[in-house]
Amino acid sequence: MIRGSRVGFRARHEDDIPILQDELYGDVVTTSRATGGPWRPITPGAKDAPFVVDDTEQSLAAFSVVELDGGTLVGTANLWGIDNHNRSAHLGLGLRPAARGKGYGTDIVATLCHYGFVVRGLRRLQIETLSDNAAMLRSAERNGFVREGVLRSAAWVMGEYLDGVMLGLLAKEWKPDMQG
């Protein structure tokens, strides 16, 4: 398990999948804002369900996130688009509704930075989020991410186009104790 200050990252367990599919994927608005594609129904137990992890996929490191105190599943974290040649990756997270607004996002971003920079030896991490996602922007900036650009009207979400924000952090800029 990879440990942050409040959360731990572990492999996805089979019993995590129905919870995540129901609470994260089942929320049409949140899924539409997070995935960059249209929501569609997925049959419970489907082999291609969004939270089923393909351990052979080398460009993705997907984790279930649990509280260190008690082990409660709070959400997901991942590095995706891992590029070993350019030593870069994108990061993302999803929190169960009951875990939102409790400061977990900042710790998850910090823990993903540790995994990306220390464990994987990456040089650059990147976040793309919607411009109105104040929680993700705050979590990223508390960990040293810098806004690098606005992607105007880049995302079609629930009947309207929204701006995206791109943030980046280089390993040489990262300060492990920065969050706060």
Side-chain angles (χ1 to χ4, degrees), residues 129-140:
T129 191
L130 297 174
S131 62
D132 65 352
N133 189 346
M136 186 59 165
L137 292 167
R138 191 171 41 253
S139 293

Side-chain angles (χ1 to χ4, degrees), residues 66-139:
V66 296
E67 292 176 323
L68 287 177
D69 185 23
T72 301
L73 176 68
V74 296
T76 65
N78 58 66
L79 284 187
W80 58 276
I82 299 170
D83 179 337
N84 290 319
H85 176 73
N86 292 305
R87 295 178 41 213
S88 65
H90 305 259
L91 64 89
L93 62 96
L95 290 171
R96 296 175 65 190
R100 295 176 190 156
K102 297 182 177 181
Y104 290 122
T106 299
D107 192 32
I108 292 169
V109 172
T111 307
L112 281 168
C113 289
H114 172 81
Y115 177 74
F117 293 138
V118 176
V119 177
R120 298 293 297 250
L122 299 176
R123 183 181 179 131
R124 174 186 166 78
L125 295 176
Q126 181 170 313
I127 296 172
E128 297 87 9
T129 191
L130 297 174
S131 62
D132 65 352
N133 189 346
M136 186 59 165
L137 292 167
R138 191 171 41 253
S139 293

Side-chain angles (χ1 to χ4, degrees), residues 41-53:
I42 296 193
T43 305
K47 298 296 179 210
D48 64 342
F51 298 103
V52 174
V53 176

